[in-house]
Amino acid sequence: DTKFMSFHIDIQNHLASIPVTEEQIKHWATCALQSQINAAELTICIIDSGQMTELNHQYRHKNQPTNVLSFPSSLPEDIMTQLDVPFIGDILICPEVLLHESQNQNKDLEFHWAHIVVHGVLHLLGFDHIEDKDAHIMQSLETKILQQLNYPNPYENDEI
C-alpha cells in the first residue's frame, strides 16, 4: 500500500549547475527505493571530479574520479530503530564523469543519470556486482526499475 511509503531524499548540489533537476533525481531514487522497501532517508551529494577523485582514492584506493560512490549507513541498530524513517546512507555523484561516460558510450545523458541514481540507491540497499551472480541480480533489478521509468535496458549493448 503506497500511502504508507515514506522517503526523504536530501539533495546536496555542490556545483553551479547540473543537467537534470532535483525533482528528477528524487523521482529516480524513489522508484529504486520503493522496489525494495517502504521507508528510507538518504542523501545524494553532487560533487566535482576533484572531490570524487579524493574520495575514490581514500575509500577504494583508485586515484581517479568515478561516476558514483555509495556509503551505506553504519548507524547502530538501536539508533536506527528509534528513527521514524531509517537512514540508509549517502550517495555521491560526479556529473563530469557521467557526461564523459554518456558521450563515450553513446547514451542519452538523462538516461545515464537515471541509471546511476538507481544503481547508487541499490548499493545502499545492499546490492552489489562483485560476483557474477550478484551482478546479474542487480542488473536485472536496475533494468526493471528503469523500464518502469520508460528508459531502455542500460546493459543491452554491453559486452559482458
Side-chain angles (χ1 to χ4, degrees):
D1 192 347
T2 52
K3 69 176 179 272
F4 295 110
M5 290 192 165
S6 177
F7 301 114
H8 301 286
I9 300 159
D10 179 31
I11 311 264
Q12 296 176 4
N13 181 6
H14 298 274
L15 304 178
S17 70
I18 55 174
V20 295
T21 66
E22 289 191 8
E23 288 71 31
Q24 285 177 297
I25 294 170
K26 287 180 180 181
H27 179 63
W28 299 327
T30 298
C31 287
L33 289 166
Q34 67 192 18
S35 76
Q36 301 299 310
I37 54 177
N38 55 19
E41 182 173 348
L42 64 98
T43 303
I44 298 176
C45 295
I46 313 295
I47 61 175
D48 66 31
S49 61
Q51 293 170 293
M52 185 60 98
T53 300
E54 281 177 40
L55 291 163
N56 200 26
H57 185 251
Q58 184 179 345
Y59 292 100
R60 296 177 64 228
H61 311 293
K62 295 183 179 181
N63 201 15
Q64 63 191 48
T66 187
N67 51 19
V68 62
L69 287 175
S70 297
F71 294 96
S73 167
S74 56
L75 285 174
E77 192 60 38
D78 57 331
I79 292 177
M80 283 290 250
T81 55
Q82 292 173 34
L83 300 174
D84 293 337
V85 175
F87 178 75
I88 61 169
D90 302 297
I91 297 170
L92 305 176
I93 295 177
C94 182
E96 288 170 68
V97 174
L98 294 189
L99 179 61
H100 290 299
E101 287 176 344
S102 68
Q103 290 169 339
N104 291 342
Q105 298 167 18
N106 221 6
K107 286 183 178 167
D108 178 73
L109 185 58
E110 179 190 306
F111 161 56
H112 193 46
W113 266 84
H115 178 214
I116 291 306
V117 169
V118 167
H119 186 86
V121 169
L122 291 179
H123 272 310
L124 291 187
L125 294 171
F127 291 89
D128 75 56
H129 45 82
I130 297 163
E131 302 290 329
D132 283 350
K133 95 175 154 35
D134 295 331
H136 180 73
I137 292 166
M138 186 171 180
Q139 290 175 359
S140 299
L141 192 52
E142 286 172 341
T143 300
K144 186 176 156 205
I145 293 163
L146 289 164
Q147 282 172 340
Q148 289 167 351
L149 292 163
N150 296 316
Y151 291 110
N153 178 344
Y155 298 104
E156 213 146 56
N157 301 320
D158 280 12
E159 300 299 320
I160 296 173

mmCIF file of all heavy atoms in Angstrom, residues 74-110:
data_model
loop_
_atom_site.group_PDB
_atom_site.id
_atom_site.type_symbol
_atom_site.label_atom_id
_atom_site.label_comp_id
_atom_site.label_asym_id
_atom_site.label_seq_id
_atom_site.Cartn_x
_atom_site.Cartn_y
_atom_site.Cartn_z
ATOM 1 N N SER A 74 26.086 3.285 8.661
ATOM 2 C CA SER A 74 26.629 2.365 9.672
ATOM 3 C C SER A 74 26.111 2.748 11.058
ATOM 4 O O SER A 74 26.777 2.529 12.060
ATOM 5 C CB SER A 74 28.156 2.382 9.626
ATOM 6 O OG SER A 74 28.632 3.705 9.790
ATOM 7 N N LEU A 75 24.913 3.346 11.081
ATOM 8 C CA LEU A 75 24.325 3.698 12.371
ATOM 9 C C LEU A 75 24.023 2.430 13.158
ATOM 10 O O LEU A 75 23.560 1.441 12.592
ATOM 11 C CB LEU A 75 23.011 4.473 12.167
ATOM 12 C CG LEU A 75 23.112 5.925 11.722
ATOM 13 C CD1 LEU A 75 21.728 6.479 11.433
ATOM 14 C CD2 LEU A 75 23.798 6.770 12.776
ATOM 15 N N PRO A 76 24.271 2.459 14.466
ATOM 16 C CA PRO A 76 23.948 1.278 15.284
ATOM 17 C C PRO A 76 22.455 0.955 15.241
ATOM 18 O O PRO A 76 21.618 1.854 15.126
ATOM 19 C CB PRO A 76 24.363 1.706 16.703
ATOM 20 C CG PRO A 76 25.262 2.876 16.522
ATOM 21 C CD PRO A 76 24.862 3.532 15.228
ATOM 22 N N GLU A 77 22.136 -0.338 15.331
ATOM 23 C CA GLU A 77 20.757 -0.817 15.236
ATOM 24 C C GLU A 77 19.833 -0.121 16.237
ATOM 25 O O GLU A 77 18.714 0.245 15.902
ATOM 26 C CB GLU A 77 20.729 -2.341 15.448
ATOM 27 C CG GLU A 77 19.406 -2.997 15.094
ATOM 28 C CD GLU A 77 18.993 -2.809 13.638
ATOM 29 O OE1 GLU A 77 19.873 -2.849 12.750
ATOM 30 O OE2 GLU A 77 17.785 -2.621 13.386
ATOM 31 N N ASP A 78 20.308 0.118 17.472
ATOM 32 C CA ASP A 78 19.436 0.744 18.476
ATOM 33 C C ASP A 78 19.081 2.184 18.110
ATOM 34 O O ASP A 78 18.008 2.674 18.455
ATOM 35 C CB ASP A 78 20.038 0.661 19.889
ATOM 36 C CG ASP A 78 21.419 1.288 19.985
ATOM 37 O OD1 ASP A 78 22.149 1.288 18.973
ATOM 38 O OD2 ASP A 78 21.778 1.767 21.067
ATOM 39 N N ILE A 79 19.954 2.849 17.377
ATOM 40 C CA ILE A 79 19.634 4.207 16.904
ATOM 41 C C ILE A 79 18.691 4.119 15.708
ATOM 42 O O ILE A 79 17.710 4.863 15.612
ATOM 43 C CB ILE A 79 20.919 4.989 16.549
ATOM 44 C CG1 ILE A 79 21.699 5.263 17.842
ATOM 45 C CG2 ILE A 79 20.580 6.286 15.810
ATOM 46 C CD1 ILE A 79 23.009 5.965 17.653
ATOM 47 N N MET A 80 18.961 3.192 14.795
ATOM 48 C CA MET A 80 18.113 3.020 13.606
ATOM 49 C C MET A 80 16.657 2.762 14.006
ATOM 50 O O MET A 80 15.744 3.297 13.383
ATOM 51 C CB MET A 80 18.613 1.860 12.740
ATOM 52 C CG MET A 80 19.838 2.213 11.910
ATOM 53 S SD MET A 80 19.474 3.372 10.581
ATOM 54 C CE MET A 80 19.674 2.291 9.185
ATOM 55 N N THR A 81 16.437 1.938 15.034
ATOM 56 C CA THR A 81 15.073 1.594 15.429
ATOM 57 C C THR A 81 14.337 2.785 16.042
ATOM 58 O O THR A 81 13.117 2.801 16.063
ATOM 59 C CB THR A 81 15.055 0.413 16.427
ATOM 60 O OG1 THR A 81 15.883 0.741 17.540
ATOM 61 C CG2 THR A 81 15.542 -0.870 15.773
ATOM 62 N N GLN A 82 15.073 3.786 16.499
ATOM 63 C CA GLN A 82 14.428 4.976 17.084
ATOM 64 C C GLN A 82 14.040 6.010 16.029
ATOM 65 O O GLN A 82 13.281 6.925 16.316
ATOM 66 C CB GLN A 82 15.362 5.637 18.108
ATOM 67 C CG GLN A 82 15.585 4.787 19.347
ATOM 68 C CD GLN A 82 16.644 5.397 20.258
ATOM 69 O OE1 GLN A 82 16.755 6.603 20.352
ATOM 70 N NE2 GLN A 82 17.414 4.543 20.917
ATOM 71 N N LEU A 83 14.569 5.852 14.821
ATOM 72 C CA LEU A 83 14.271 6.807 13.756
ATOM 73 C C LEU A 83 12.893 6.518 13.161
ATOM 74 O O LEU A 83 12.508 5.364 13.015
ATOM 75 C CB LEU A 83 15.325 6.710 12.652
ATOM 76 C CG LEU A 83 16.774 6.991 13.039
ATOM 77 C CD1 LEU A 83 17.699 6.703 11.873
ATOM 78 C CD2 LEU A 83 16.946 8.431 13.509
ATOM 79 N N ASP A 84 12.158 7.579 12.828
ATOM 80 C CA ASP A 84 10.869 7.406 12.159
ATOM 81 C C ASP A 84 11.069 6.728 10.808
ATOM 82 O O ASP A 84 10.291 5.892 10.391
ATOM 83 C CB ASP A 84 10.179 8.758 11.934
ATOM 84 C CG ASP A 84 9.753 9.405 13.244
ATOM 85 O OD1 ASP A 84 9.580 8.671 14.241
ATOM 86 O OD2 ASP A 84 9.612 10.636 13.265
ATOM 87 N N VAL A 85 12.134 7.140 10.129
ATOM 88 C CA VAL A 85 12.471 6.613 8.813
ATOM 89 C C VAL A 85 13.942 6.203 8.868
ATOM 90 O O VAL A 85 14.783 6.996 9.278
ATOM 91 C CB VAL A 85 12.265 7.706 7.729
ATOM 92 C CG1 VAL A 85 12.732 7.230 6.374
ATOM 93 C CG2 VAL A 85 10.811 8.136 7.672
ATOM 94 N N PRO A 86 14.285 4.962 8.496
ATOM 95 C CA PRO A 86 15.688 4.551 8.585
ATOM 96 C C PRO A 86 16.588 5.331 7.629
ATOM 97 O O PRO A 86 16.255 5.510 6.465
ATOM 98 C CB PRO A 86 15.653 3.065 8.209
ATOM 99 C CG PRO A 86 14.381 2.864 7.478
ATOM 100 C CD PRO A 86 13.415 3.897 7.972
ATOM 101 N N PHE A 87 17.720 5.812 8.160
ATOM 102 C CA PHE A 87 18.709 6.488 7.319
ATOM 103 C C PHE A 87 19.585 5.411 6.696
ATOM 104 O O PHE A 87 20.276 4.690 7.400
ATOM 105 C CB PHE A 87 19.559 7.467 8.134
ATOM 106 C CG PHE A 87 20.607 8.139 7.304
ATOM 107 C CD1 PHE A 87 20.255 9.146 6.409
ATOM 108 C CD2 PHE A 87 21.935 7.748 7.363
ATOM 109 C CE1 PHE A 87 21.210 9.757 5.611
ATOM 110 C CE2 PHE A 87 22.905 8.348 6.561
ATOM 111 C CZ PHE A 87 22.533 9.353 5.694
ATOM 112 N N ILE A 88 19.527 5.270 5.358
ATOM 113 C CA ILE A 88 20.241 4.159 4.720
ATOM 114 C C ILE A 88 21.610 4.546 4.160
ATOM 115 O O ILE A 88 22.393 3.678 3.809
ATOM 116 C CB ILE A 88 19.384 3.462 3.632
ATOM 117 C CG1 ILE A 88 19.013 4.417 2.501
ATOM 118 C CG2 ILE A 88 18.142 2.838 4.262
ATOM 119 C CD1 ILE A 88 18.414 3.727 1.284
ATOM 120 N N GLY A 89 21.916 5.850 4.077
ATOM 121 C CA GLY A 89 23.262 6.225 3.663
ATOM 122 C C GLY A 89 23.347 7.407 2.715
ATOM 123 O O GLY A 89 22.382 8.148 2.528
ATOM 124 N N ASP A 90 24.544 7.540 2.141
ATOM 125 C CA ASP A 90 24.871 8.657 1.256
ATOM 126 C C ASP A 90 25.321 8.153 -0.104
ATOM 127 O O ASP A 90 26.007 7.136 -0.200
ATOM 128 C CB ASP A 90 26.030 9.484 1.842
ATOM 129 C CG ASP A 90 25.719 10.032 3.210
ATOM 130 O OD1 ASP A 90 24.782 10.846 3.312
ATOM 131 O OD2 ASP A 90 26.401 9.643 4.179
ATOM 132 N N ILE A 91 24.935 8.899 -1.126
ATOM 133 C CA ILE A 91 25.372 8.614 -2.497
ATOM 134 C C ILE A 91 26.082 9.867 -2.998
ATOM 135 O O ILE A 91 25.567 10.976 -2.842
ATOM 136 C CB ILE A 91 24.165 8.300 -3.410
ATOM 137 C CG1 ILE A 91 23.448 7.039 -2.933
ATOM 138 C CG2 ILE A 91 24.615 8.158 -4.869
ATOM 139 C CD1 ILE A 91 22.122 6.801 -3.634
ATOM 140 N N LEU A 92 27.255 9.681 -3.604
ATOM 141 C CA LEU A 92 27.983 10.794 -4.205
ATOM 142 C C LEU A 92 27.998 10.576 -5.700
ATOM 143 O O LEU A 92 28.310 9.483 -6.178
ATOM 144 C CB LEU A 92 29.418 10.838 -3.674
ATOM 145 C CG LEU A 92 29.558 10.885 -2.159
ATOM 146 C CD1 LEU A 92 31.028 10.819 -1.759
ATOM 147 C CD2 LEU A 92 28.919 12.136 -1.599
ATOM 148 N N ILE A 93 27.657 11.614 -6.448
ATOM 149 C CA ILE A 93 27.606 11.522 -7.911
ATOM 150 C C ILE A 93 28.489 12.612 -8.506
ATOM 151 O O ILE A 93 28.461 13.763 -8.056
ATOM 152 C CB ILE A 93 26.151 11.668 -8.426
ATOM 153 C CG1 ILE A 93 25.316 10.477 -7.938
ATOM 154 C CG2 ILE A 93 26.115 11.775 -9.955
ATOM 155 C CD1 ILE A 93 23.848 10.551 -8.315
ATOM 156 N N CYS A 94 29.250 12.237 -9.545
ATOM 157 C CA CYS A 94 30.125 13.187 -10.230
ATOM 158 C C CYS A 94 29.624 13.426 -11.659
ATOM 159 O O CYS A 94 29.820 12.595 -12.541
ATOM 160 C CB CYS A 94 31.551 12.638 -10.252
ATOM 161 S SG CYS A 94 32.716 13.785 -11.026
ATOM 162 N N PRO A 95 28.971 14.576 -11.896
ATOM 163 C CA PRO A 95 28.415 14.877 -13.225
ATOM 164 C C PRO A 95 29.442 14.871 -14.351
ATOM 165 O O PRO A 95 29.120 14.474 -15.474
ATOM 166 C CB PRO A 95 27.825 16.284 -13.057
ATOM 167 C CG PRO A 95 27.555 16.399 -11.595
ATOM 168 C CD PRO A 95 28.644 15.620 -10.923
ATOM 169 N N GLU A 96 30.692 15.307 -14.072
ATOM 170 C CA GLU A 96 31.719 15.320 -15.129
ATOM 171 C C GLU A 96 31.945 13.916 -15.674
ATOM 172 O O GLU A 96 32.055 13.708 -16.876
ATOM 173 C CB GLU A 96 33.044 15.856 -14.579
ATOM 174 C CG GLU A 96 33.052 17.344 -14.308
ATOM 175 C CD GLU A 96 34.311 17.747 -13.547
ATOM 176 O OE1 GLU A 96 35.407 17.678 -14.140
ATOM 177 O OE2 GLU A 96 34.188 18.113 -12.362
ATOM 178 N N VAL A 97 32.021 12.935 -14.765
ATOM 179 C CA VAL A 97 32.241 11.545 -15.187
ATOM 180 C C VAL A 97 31.021 11.042 -15.953
ATOM 181 O O VAL A 97 31.158 10.384 -16.989
ATOM 182 C CB VAL A 97 32.572 10.640 -13.981
ATOM 183 C CG1 VAL A 97 32.664 9.176 -14.410
ATOM 184 C CG2 VAL A 97 33.872 11.084 -13.314
ATOM 185 N N LEU A 98 29.820 11.382 -15.467
ATOM 186 C CA LEU A 98 28.604 10.944 -16.167
ATOM 187 C C LEU A 98 28.561 11.505 -17.586
ATOM 188 O O LEU A 98 28.173 10.808 -18.524
ATOM 189 C CB LEU A 98 27.339 11.378 -15.407
ATOM 190 C CG LEU A 98 27.103 10.741 -14.047
ATOM 191 C CD1 LEU A 98 25.713 11.092 -13.535
ATOM 192 C CD2 LEU A 98 27.284 9.253 -14.078
ATOM 193 N N LEU A 99 28.967 12.744 -17.740
ATOM 194 C CA LEU A 99 28.981 13.365 -19.070
ATOM 195 C C LEU A 99 29.953 12.621 -19.994
ATOM 196 O O LEU A 99 29.589 12.257 -21.111
ATOM 197 C CB LEU A 99 29.364 14.844 -18.965
ATOM 198 C CG LEU A 99 29.433 15.611 -20.291
ATOM 199 C CD1 LEU A 99 28.081 15.610 -20.999
ATOM 200 C CD2 LEU A 99 29.920 17.035 -20.057
ATOM 201 N N HIS A 100 31.190 12.383 -19.522
ATOM 202 C CA HIS A 100 32.175 11.659 -20.340
ATOM 203 C C HIS A 100 31.683 10.260 -20.689
ATOM 204 O O HIS A 100 31.788 9.829 -21.837
ATOM 205 C CB HIS A 100 33.527 11.559 -19.619
ATOM 206 C CG HIS A 100 34.230 12.873 -19.508
ATOM 207 N ND1 HIS A 100 34.621 13.605 -20.607
ATOM 208 C CD2 HIS A 100 34.616 13.584 -18.421
ATOM 209 C CE1 HIS A 100 35.209 14.718 -20.199
ATOM 210 N NE2 HIS A 100 35.214 14.737 -18.882
ATOM 211 N N GLU A 101 31.131 9.546 -19.695
ATOM 212 C CA GLU A 101 30.648 8.186 -19.942
ATOM 213 C C GLU A 101 29.514 8.165 -20.954
ATOM 214 O O GLU A 101 29.491 7.325 -21.852
ATOM 215 C CB GLU A 101 30.171 7.536 -18.636
ATOM 216 C CG GLU A 101 31.297 7.150 -17.711
ATOM 217 C CD GLU A 101 30.800 6.601 -16.391
ATOM 218 O OE1 GLU A 101 29.606 6.788 -16.050
ATOM 219 O OE2 GLU A 101 31.604 5.985 -15.688
ATOM 220 N N SER A 102 28.573 9.093 -20.807
ATOM 221 C CA SER A 102 27.428 9.092 -21.731
ATOM 222 C C SER A 102 27.895 9.385 -23.156
ATOM 223 O O SER A 102 27.393 8.797 -24.110
ATOM 224 C CB SER A 102 26.349 10.080 -21.282
ATOM 225 O OG SER A 102 26.809 11.406 -21.402
ATOM 226 N N GLN A 103 28.886 10.261 -23.300
ATOM 227 C CA GLN A 103 29.430 10.549 -24.633
ATOM 228 C C GLN A 103 30.186 9.340 -25.187
ATOM 229 O O GLN A 103 29.975 8.944 -26.332
ATOM 230 C CB GLN A 103 30.351 11.777 -24.574
ATOM 231 C CG GLN A 103 29.585 13.058 -24.326
ATOM 232 C CD GLN A 103 30.484 14.246 -24.010
ATOM 233 O OE1 GLN A 103 31.627 14.088 -23.600
ATOM 234 N NE2 GLN A 103 29.952 15.448 -24.180
ATOM 235 N N ASN A 104 31.039 8.738 -24.352
ATOM 236 C CA ASN A 104 31.838 7.579 -24.792
ATOM 237 C C ASN A 104 30.966 6.371 -25.118
ATOM 238 O O ASN A 104 31.268 5.599 -26.009
ATOM 239 C CB ASN A 104 32.866 7.184 -23.726
ATOM 240 C CG ASN A 104 33.954 8.221 -23.584
ATOM 241 O OD1 ASN A 104 34.147 9.052 -24.461
ATOM 242 N ND2 ASN A 104 34.655 8.193 -22.469
ATOM 243 N N GLN A 105 29.887 6.182 -24.341
ATOM 244 C CA GLN A 105 29.021 5.013 -24.527
ATOM 245 C C GLN A 105 27.837 5.321 -25.436
ATOM 246 O O GLN A 105 26.973 4.476 -25.640
ATOM 247 C CB GLN A 105 28.522 4.527 -23.155
ATOM 248 C CG GLN A 105 29.632 4.072 -22.226
ATOM 249 C CD GLN A 105 29.162 3.910 -20.786
ATOM 250 O OE1 GLN A 105 27.970 3.814 -20.504
ATOM 251 N NE2 GLN A 105 30.109 3.888 -19.860
ATOM 252 N N ASN A 106 27.791 6.555 -25.945
ATOM 253 C CA ASN A 106 26.711 6.961 -26.828
ATOM 254 C C ASN A 106 25.338 6.783 -26.172
ATOM 255 O O ASN A 106 24.406 6.286 -26.789
ATOM 256 C CB ASN A 106 26.794 6.167 -28.138
ATOM 257 C CG ASN A 106 26.505 7.060 -29.324
ATOM 258 O OD1 ASN A 106 26.352 8.270 -29.169
ATOM 259 N ND2 ASN A 106 26.414 6.466 -30.483
ATOM 260 N N LYS A 107 25.255 7.188 -24.894
ATOM 261 C CA LYS A 107 23.999 7.078 -24.148
ATOM 262 C C LYS A 107 23.442 8.469 -23.892
ATOM 263 O O LYS A 107 24.195 9.426 -23.702
ATOM 264 C CB LYS A 107 24.241 6.394 -22.792
ATOM 265 C CG LYS A 107 24.474 4.905 -22.903
ATOM 266 C CD LYS A 107 24.645 4.263 -21.535
ATOM 267 C CE LYS A 107 24.815 2.762 -21.690
ATOM 268 N NZ LYS A 107 25.292 2.108 -20.475
ATOM 269 N N ASP A 108 22.132 8.555 -23.872
ATOM 270 C CA ASP A 108 21.465 9.797 -23.523
ATOM 271 C C ASP A 108 21.877 10.188 -22.102
ATOM 272 O O ASP A 108 21.876 9.358 -21.193
ATOM 273 C CB ASP A 108 19.947 9.577 -23.600
ATOM 274 C CG ASP A 108 19.187 10.813 -23.197
ATOM 275 O OD1 ASP A 108 19.175 11.774 -23.984
ATOM 276 O OD2 ASP A 108 18.622 10.825 -22.084
ATOM 277 N N LEU A 109 22.245 11.462 -21.897
ATOM 278 C CA LEU A 109 22.763 11.911 -20.598
ATOM 279 C C LEU A 109 21.728 11.756 -19.482
ATOM 280 O O LEU A 109 22.052 11.266 -18.396
ATOM 281 C CB LEU A 109 23.247 13.360 -20.692
ATOM 282 C CG LEU A 109 23.917 13.910 -19.421
ATOM 283 C CD1 LEU A 109 25.117 13.068 -19.004
ATOM 284 C CD2 LEU A 109 24.328 15.366 -19.641
ATOM 285 N N GLU A 110 20.485 12.131 -19.740
ATOM 286 C CA GLU A 110 19.438 11.993 -18.720
ATOM 287 C C GLU A 110 19.254 10.520 -18.333
ATOM 288 O O GLU A 110 19.138 10.175 -17.160
ATOM 289 C CB GLU A 110 18.110 12.571 -19.231
ATOM 290 C CG GLU A 110 16.981 12.422 -18.225
ATOM 291 C CD GLU A 110 15.631 12.782 -18.819
ATOM 292 O OE1 GLU A 110 15.498 13.898 -19.372
ATOM 293 O OE2 GLU A 110 14.718 11.940 -18.746
#
